Amino acid sequence: MKTHSDLKIKIRKCTQDDYDWCYELSKGNMKPYVEKYWNKWNPKLFTSNFKVERVNIVELDKKPIGFYEIEFRAELGIIHGIQICESYRNKGIGTKIIALIEDEFRNKGIKTSRLRVFVDNPAVRLYQRLGYVVIEEADYYTKLGTIVMAKQLF
């Protein structure tokens, strides 16, 4: 397990036993955005997109407080999602998680980190502060209420 001693964060691989917890956290965090832009929360969509082998659980004092999902594609690292329990936000944990992800990407020789986020999600400010910029790709994303952001790691 990787540890950030200053916050006592531990990262462990997700197991299928974590699915329900991840689902409930995602639903609690994302349902307002999904309903605003896509009309309805769809449990089947979450299930079909959730890849346990790409997910890591974030723990603090042996308690799960969040998770993130990443994927490696050649020289591109994709952050599919970062979810943190509301009571643990704005404590530097998101910044630490992104630093861990970027270190993992760099260790695999990945040059670019990319993510998609809802345009009005407060996390946009965090990503910008950490060097992510909006990629001007196509109107497709903004029609979905999302933007694509990326950061060069090398």
Side-chain angles (χ1 to χ4, degrees):
M1 286 189 188
K2 300 172 196 162
T3 302
H4 277 287
S5 59
D6 53 338
L7 292 175
K8 298 179 184 155
I9 290 175
K10 291 187 179 183
I11 307 299
R12 67 171 173 81
K13 294 302 290 177
C14 182
T15 69
Q16 199 58 45
D17 291 341
D18 296 307
Y19 174 85
D20 290 341
W21 183 84
C22 292
Y23 174 84
E24 291 301 327
L25 179 59
S26 293
K27 182 178 177 183
N29 287 350
M30 303 310 294
K31 187 176 179 183
Y33 298 107
V34 170
E35 289 179 343
K36 179 178 179 179
Y37 294 105
W38 304 344
N39 298 322
K40 179 179 162 184
W41 176 262
N42 183 343
K44 290 178 184 175
L45 186 61
F46 179 88
T47 300
S48 67
N49 288 325
F50 187 82
K51 308 292 185 223
V52 70
E53 66 276 5
R54 299 189 313 205
V55 176
N56 290 295
I57 303 295
V58 180
E59 295 181 332
L60 184 62
D61 299 324
K62 298 183 181 180
K63 176 184 174 187
I65 61 163
F67 73 91
Y68 62 90
E69 182 177 352
I70 57 175
E71 180 181 1
F72 310 101
R73 289 189 191 166
E75 294 182 353
L76 177 65
I78 301 170
I79 302 172
H80 285 288
I82 299 173
Q83 299 295 330
I84 300 172
C85 294
E86 187 172 5
S87 59
Y88 292 96
R89 292 186 205 144
N90 299 310
K91 299 181 185 312
I93 293 170
T95 300
K96 295 291 183 186
I97 291 170
I98 294 169
L100 281 171
I101 292 169
E102 290 176 356
D103 286 347
E104 189 169 351
F105 286 168
R106 283 185 193 97
N107 289 338
K108 293 192 179 294
I110 290 173
K111 296 181 179 182
T112 305
S113 176
R114 189 182 79 193
L115 57 89
R116 185 165 57 123
V117 61
F118 283 102
V119 294
D120 51 351
N121 187 323
V124 170
R125 290 188 303 281
L126 169 66
Y127 300 136
Q128 288 172 329
R129 183 172 54 80
L130 296 176
Y132 286 78
V133 295
V134 176
I135 298 172
E136 301 298 330
E137 285 187 347
D139 288 336
Y140 171 76
Y141 292 107
T142 53
K143 287 178 184 171
L144 292 176
T146 63
I147 53 176
V148 176
M149 302 181 81
K151 178 179 178 179
Q152 295 302 312
L153 301 176
F154 287 100

